[in-house]
Amino acid sequence: MGNFDLQSFVITLIVLVVSITLHEFGHAISADRLGDDTPRRQGRISLIPWDHFEIVGGVMMVISSLVGYGIGWGKPVQVNYRNFRNERTADIIVTACGPLMNLLLAILFALILRIGYIARPQAPLLSVLQIQFALSFVLINLSLMFFNLLPIFPLDGSHIVRRLLPPDSGERFYAFMVQWGPLILMIAILSGGGVLSKVIGPAVQHSMSLLLGLPPRQ
């Protein structure tokens, strides 16, 4: 703990809480707009972090913030597919709206950085702390987006792949992932983030360079 940076820890934790709250809100509001009132009845049409808190995901937020790579998850939004006109299409949309919220946050804070710092590095409009917050929002939200798009249950990517595959293949894939996905994911997480970094790291770094208008890292 000799290299522990309290400020970075607090910033990472705050960004994670905000970003995961908006991720789950994206699932909830899209399901509500498509005709399923289950999230509304369960109080998930909310921007209050506690309404989306999940104990294991919350613990992972703290642990990952301590070790420096910042990951976690909120309480899954429950939906009743029978309330949708087209279950297959609605599931893809509702599922994708979580990562989409993370992408929108990354774009927003990348624009703030480009206007307030990158375009005028000699006379920035942002303080050092504000720059650190904005960079964390970009990095963490891109990481959350690509992490959640992994086709491993219970991540969003497993739902999307299930619906994109032909029905029989999709159900076989999903049954396999429901059984083995959590174990696969836990092994990846317990590796200290090394496996996850190798899988999603290049996509995160390339996307971050693209959003900030910087040359990609070699």
Side-chain angles (χ1 to χ4, degrees), residues 4-210:
F4 176 68
D5 185 334
L6 178 60
Q7 179 172 291
S8 294
F9 168 74
V10 171
I11 289 173
T12 299
L13 200 55
I14 290 172
V15 172
L16 276 173
V17 169
V18 172
S19 303
I20 289 174
T21 296
L22 286 169
H23 176 102
E24 298 302 334
F25 175 78
H27 289 314
I29 194 66
S30 58
D32 185 71
R33 293 294 184 266
L34 288 171
D36 179 24
D37 66 347
T38 304
R40 183 173 296 277
R41 288 188 287 103
Q42 295 181 344
R44 302 302 299 278
I45 311 295
S46 168
L47 292 175
I48 300 173
W50 183 254
D51 292 335
H52 303 285
F53 179 79
E54 196 270 338
I55 185 65
V56 177
V59 170
M60 184 54 62
M61 285 187 226
V62 175
I63 294 174
S64 65
S65 298
L66 283 170
V67 300
Y69 61 87
I71 208 74
W73 53 86
K75 181 168 58 176
V77 173
Q78 296 181 2
V79 297
N80 184 347
Y81 296 110
R82 290 176 295 182
N83 290 329
F84 297 132
R85 291 182 180 179
N86 186 316
E87 176 181 325
R88 189 183 184 91
T89 302
D91 191 14
I92 293 174
I93 294 172
V94 171
T95 302
C97 279
L100 178 60
M101 291 296 287
N102 295 127
L103 177 60
L104 292 176
L105 278 171
I107 291 172
L108 171 63
F109 281 93
L111 287 174
I112 291 172
L113 279 167
R114 292 182 74 156
I115 295 169
Y117 174 60
I118 295 173
R120 43 185 302 159
Q122 303 305 319
L125 300 175
L126 303 174
S127 68
V128 173
L129 182 60
Q130 289 169 332
I131 292 171
Q132 189 175 354
F133 256 110
L135 280 171
S136 294
F137 264 105
V138 177
L139 176 60
I140 288 175
N141 275 281
L142 288 174
S143 299
L144 287 173
M145 180 184 73
F146 286 112
F147 172 69
N148 275 285
L149 288 175
L150 291 174
I152 305 171
F153 183 85
L155 300 180
D156 296 330
S158 65
H159 293 268
I160 294 174
V161 171
R162 174 193 185 187
R163 298 302 187 182
L164 291 177
L165 289 172
D168 289 344
S169 300
E171 292 308 314
R172 286 196 298 271
F173 163 80
Y174 196 67
F176 174 84
M177 272 300 160
V178 167
Q179 182 176 5
W180 296 106
L183 177 60
I184 295 170
L185 187 60
M186 189 56 62
I187 291 173
I189 291 173
L190 292 178
S191 72
V195 173
L196 292 176
S197 294
K198 289 179 180 179
V199 174
I200 69 174
V204 170
Q205 292 299 334
H206 182 77
S207 299
M208 190 165 183
S209 297
L210 184 65

